[in-house]
Amino acid sequence: MEEEKRPQPSEGLFADGQLVLWTLCSVLLPVFITFWCSLQRSRRQLHRRDIFRKSKHGWRDTDLFSHPTYCCVCTQHILQGAFCDCCGLRVDEGCLKKADKRFQCKEIMLKNDGRALDAMPHHWIPGNVPLCSYCVVCKQQCGSQPKLCDYRCIWCQKTVHDECMKNSVKNEKCDFGEFKNLIIPPSYLTSINQMRKDKKTDYAVLASKLGKQWTPLIILANSRSGTNMGEGLLGEFRILLNPVQVFDVTKTPPIKALQLCTLLPHYSARVLVCGGDGTVGWVLDAVDEMKIKGQEKYIPQVAVLPLGTGNDLSNTLGWGTGYAGEIPVTQVLRNVMEADGIKLDRWKVQVTNKGYYNLRKPKEFTMNNYFSVGPDALMALNFHAHREKAPSLFSSRILNKAVYLFYGTKDCLVQECKDLNKKVELELDGERVELPNLEGIIVLNIGYWGGGCRLWEGMGDETYPLARHDDGLLEVVGVYGSFHCAQIQVKLANPFRIGQAHTVRLILKCSMMPMQVDGEPWAQGPCIVTITHKTHALMLYFSGEQTDDDISSTSDQEDIKETD
């Protein structure tokens, strides 16, 4: 009996084989499924990229739409799919090919010049109309039903109900809507192309048909500025304007983008720069190149949409300290239309190294904001060095300011720039100035410094001439250290005001010192720094969001002009 109960060796081996088989299946099956899914995903991505490359639409992938969205082809609710950042079409992944065949994107130029400038029909696309939009026929709200419904014109942005879409509405002329004075019509570019073939350049005749208020706008956005917010702004501007007016400066340099101004009437173009002060300086340098080429008549007026950190120039011009999407892009365009033209001084900063055997050419910079030597330049230099090593860690404004605070606190303890008055000589309009025991010297062209501080006016009852950006004068101040800079920024102290001048000359006699021009820092040995006036830039000033200090400053400036 006992022998019968014992398991046979073959049965034990079979059980062990089953266990091994199930173990292999449990391990290999998930690996196989994961591999198969990744393979299918990569195939879908390659398929999408191939469609995107051949399509005339500007398709962009998205994992999640921000509000309820319906496919323009199959009319089903979608979460993951693609959208065109030129015309606003939204489709499911499987309907991309059908959408390409069924719907036409915005035409940059018309295929023929048979249509007049004022005879372009509406270009309607179905569904996904903007929130709080109203029908042009019955004036009732559109897009309120939970399905693909109603229509939107991709040029004038007007919306209409399905039941209100009559032949009269479908075939009526498009007036390009609220922003018609900013849009370059496709028919205009078609006519320009025909005129160039006929070797004619009288573009004013064409512009007269568009009205005296037509001031076409060119968008120059830095897609890397402001935690990559510029990339999203590019799509929003393409939907509202002609895509040919919108450029990414990381792909198309400003000097090439600004050649579009030469196809527009004289003194009519405006430019909106979306980026930090560095991007603005890059665009203004391109404008100077246009002057060298003899294109003064096509010089545009420049507005700023501030992205990133430290936007002191945009703050001086009334555009604020930073843009984080708090106002819609449509309001940004309205602000540009309401802005007034002003002049901005631009300065040449020449740095000549000292030494008898130095054969290098002097370094030249163009200054819009300020030049400094001392603790604020040291903080910028340390920040710049660490950002170059790990740029992905410096994508947050709060983090960037925290890093600046860290380096400022460190310099308060170390005082690397002490006894600056013994290392430099300062001349204002040829006259040498005796300096107290300073750690830094700041030469200002604009009213704001250090992320929103009015440095020259300061605080208290002391009266000083207002800092202006169009008077051909520089304001020169001194600081006693990093802690003094922090006190100035929170309005607990005033800088040491040295004076105003048309020309500033600074001689660094010994040692290495940190310097910066408009936030671009470097370490500099013994040298001579000469700052002289270079040219004027045509800017746009927006007065709609002024602070009380700005209003009082503006009124004081007007009083000065009247007395002059």
Side-chain angles (χ1 to χ4, degrees), residues 15-48:
D16 292 341
Q18 274 190 325
L19 180 61
V20 171
L21 181 62
W22 283 110
T23 303
L24 287 175
C25 289
S26 63
V27 172
L28 295 178
L29 185 62
V31 174
F32 174 76
I33 293 175
T34 303
F35 176 75
W36 184 81
C37 290
S38 62
L39 183 63
Q40 294 299 316
R41 189 183 300 111
S42 63
R43 286 180 177 176
R44 288 200 307 270
Q45 288 176 351
L46 289 174
H47 181 64
R48 278 203 308 271

Side-chain angles (χ1 to χ4, degrees), residues 371 373 424-426 441 504-508 515 527-529:
F371 163 86
V373 52
V424 304
E425 294 180 4
L426 180 65
I441 296 173
V504 175
R505 191 167 182 260
L506 186 144
I507 303 171
L508 178 59
M515 295 184 180
C527 67
I528 300 174
V529 180

